[in-house]
Amino acid sequence: SGQEGSMEALNMVIQDNPHLVSLVGIGFVTVLGMMNSVGCTTFSREGRSLWIQRTMPIKAKDQIFGRVLSSLFVQFIGIVVLLGSIAFLRLISIESIFWIIILGILGSIVMTELGMIVDIFRPLLDWDNPQKAMKQNLNVLISMGIGSLYLFGVGYLAVKLLNWKMNILFIYGILGLIFIVSIYGLYIPLKRLVERQFELLE
């Protein structure tokens, strides 16, 4: 922060390409959704008590909704820190904040659902230490791998659209559409997996 020359150079780049802050911020928030491990361990953390969930009058869609919200709560902390840091450096506008929050949250929901699919498909329920469910859970690495491939594909598309000189609002629209379609597309198999696994649990 004491190197004014570096900050001036960075400010000049951002002034020429103001949308870069938004796109990088969206990507960063989405990465946080992949790395916070809350979604991809949501069922494993229940341990041997997961069978109790099927005895409760809670529908699968409500289970999914509640678990996604718990992951997004952690995400919100990361978003506040990110936006606060960028605002401190005076590199962000109100419009950028809007797009980072909206598209970042949509991307985070996709990452959470991917992790939940992996975790419900192969939950780690036999553990004697709560930390094992998160820190020694292979589901976390699998989810990160799949999420990285997804995010790489979306990022590659965004770079291509930028190179083609597409309007930034059009790019935001494409990213939003991809995230929304992905959310719905992942919700369907996730709901079926939750219902099936809860029936098989003993």
Side-chain angles (χ1 to χ4, degrees), residues 60-61 64 117 120 184-200:
K61 65 177 183 179
I64 295 170
I117 287 176
I120 192 60
Y184 183 74
L186 292 171
Y187 169 78
I188 296 174
L190 176 58
K191 182 172 180 289
R192 291 175 180 172
L193 278 171
V194 170
E195 292 172 344
R196 189 191 72 175
Q197 290 293 77
F198 280 9
E199 290 176 358
L200 296 177

Side-chain angles (χ1 to χ4, degrees), residues 29-190:
V29 172
T30 305
V31 168
L32 287 179
M34 176 178 61
M35 297 183 66
N36 69 26
S37 301
V38 175
C40 55
T41 60
T42 182
F43 298 104
S44 294
R45 292 197 310 273
E46 301 282 350
R48 298 186 184 95
S49 301
L50 182 61
W51 67 271
I52 298 176
Q53 296 293 330
R54 75 174 184 176
T55 67
M56 303 175 69
I58 304 176
K59 297 180 180 178
K61 65 177 183 179
D62 296 326
Q63 288 267 359
I64 295 170
F65 185 73
R67 294 172 190 271
V68 168
L69 282 181
S70 66
S71 179
L72 289 181
F73 178 77
V74 177
Q75 277 298 98
F76 180 75
I77 299 173
I79 292 173
V80 170
V81 172
L82 172 67
L83 295 180
S85 301
I86 299 176
F88 177 76
L89 297 175
R90 301 176 183 176
L91 301 176
I92 198 168
S93 64
I94 298 298
E95 181 182 359
S96 294
I97 292 175
F98 173 81
W99 290 114
I100 290 173
I101 292 175
I102 298 299
L103 295 180
I105 288 177
L106 289 177
S108 297
I109 294 174
V110 176
M111 295 294 107
T112 301
E113 287 186 341
L114 280 172
M116 290 174 67
I117 287 176
V118 173
D119 197 48
I120 192 60
F121 188 75
R122 51 186 311 278
L124 176 64
L125 303 179
D126 188 14
W127 46 261
D128 51 12
N129 188 325
Q131 292 187 358
K132 185 177 180 180
M134 294 190 71
K135 296 183 179 180
Q136 300 179 35
N137 193 342
L138 186 59
N139 293 345
V140 175
L141 294 178
I142 296 174
S143 300
M144 286 184 179
I146 298 173
S148 297
L149 291 175
Y150 175 88
L151 193 56
F152 176 80
V154 174
Y156 180 79
L157 176 61
V159 170
K160 281 294 184 182
L161 293 175
L162 283 173
N163 291 337
W164 293 339
K165 306 299 182 182
M166 293 290 186
N167 185 282
I168 189 61
L169 293 179
F170 177 79
I171 296 176
Y172 290 152
I174 292 295
L175 293 179
L177 180 62
I178 291 173
F179 288 150
I180 291 172
V181 171
S182 298
I183 289 170
Y184 183 74
L186 292 171
Y187 169 78
I188 296 174
L190 176 58

